[in-house]
Amino acid sequence: MVDPLFAQARTCLFPNEHLDALLSDHDTRANVDHSLAVIYALGLEPRPDVIREQAAINEVAPDQAELLVALIGRRLEAVA
C-alpha cells in the first residue's frame, strides 16, 4: 500500500500527467528506481519524510527533493 501522504504532497505541486511524462523517460525512471533501492537497502520505508530526510543528508535542493517525493510516490502507485 502506498503511503497516503504521497498523494497529499503530490497533488499540491505536481499533476499526475506531469509525473507520468517524467517517468516515461527511461533515465528518470531508472533514477527513481535506484533511489527506491537505496532507501530499501538502508532498511528504511519509502515515506515522504524519509525521502526528504535522505535528500537533505545528500544535500539535494528542497524543490528537487519534493519532485523526488512526488516521483517515488507515483512510481509506487504504478507498481502497486
Side-chain angles (χ1 to χ4, degrees), residues 3-79:
D3 190 317
L5 291 176
F6 278 115
Q8 182 181 14
R10 189 181 67 243
T11 55
C12 295
L13 300 172
F14 307 101
N16 286 340
E17 297 79 22
H18 178 68
L19 296 173
D20 291 343
L22 290 172
L23 287 169
S24 70
D25 176 70
H26 174 74
D27 291 333
T28 301
R29 190 173 54 253
N31 288 337
V32 168
D33 289 344
H34 175 73
S35 295
L36 276 169
V38 168
I39 290 168
Y40 287 127
L42 291 171
L44 303 171
E45 291 295 318
R47 296 188 325 262
D49 60 321
V50 171
I51 297 165
R52 289 182 187 107
E53 180 180 301
Q54 291 302 307
I57 289 169
N58 291 305
E59 299 180 352
V60 173
D63 58 335
Q64 291 296 317
E66 289 306 310
L67 178 58
L68 184 59
V69 167
L71 286 168
I72 286 176
R74 188 67 176 160
R75 183 73 172 131
L76 289 172
E77 286 177 353
V79 295

